Amino acid sequence: MLDRLVDPLSQCLTAESAKRLLKLRADPRLQARVDQLAEKCNEGTLTAQEQTEYSSYVSFGTFVALLKSKARQLLANSSGA
């Protein structure tokens, strides 16, 4: 289902926007929070509120990872053409 959502977005990518997307990273403060929640999740100590927050980050991360995958495919296909 997520791939079906990402596919139309990926068709809007140009080589330049794909390159910029691949450079996208979370800011250090956000990454630290995600890492903290991941550790607590692995330990089984997340509160219900933290679980909801962490789940949102994981879902968004999956979405971005799929979009980056499409960007890599676009760049590979354009360089091989």
Side-chain angles (χ1 to χ4, degrees):
M1 176 180 78
L2 193 54
D3 192 48
R4 287 176 38 201
L5 177 65
V6 170
D7 197 48
L9 288 173
S10 69
Q11 293 178 21
C12 297
L13 292 174
T14 63
E16 182 60 31
S17 62
K19 290 174 187 176
R20 291 181 69 194
L21 176 63
L22 291 174
K23 292 179 183 177
L24 183 67
R25 300 286 182 267
D27 70 71
R29 208 168 108 196
L30 175 60
Q31 188 60 58
R33 177 63 176 156
V34 173
D35 292 345
Q36 177 188 39
L37 292 172
E39 186 174 328
K40 288 184 78 171
C41 183
N42 289 338
E43 295 168 352
T45 59
L46 284 176
T47 65
Q49 184 177 356
E50 289 171 330
Q51 177 61 47
T52 300
E53 180 184 1
Y54 185 56
S55 181
S56 294
Y57 292 140
V58 169
S59 294
F60 182 71
T62 301
F63 176 80
V64 171
L66 282 171
L67 197 51
K68 284 184 173 187
S69 175
K70 298 288 187 178
R72 282 186 205 92
Q73 289 173 358
L74 174 97
L75 292 173
N77 290 341
S78 65
S79 70

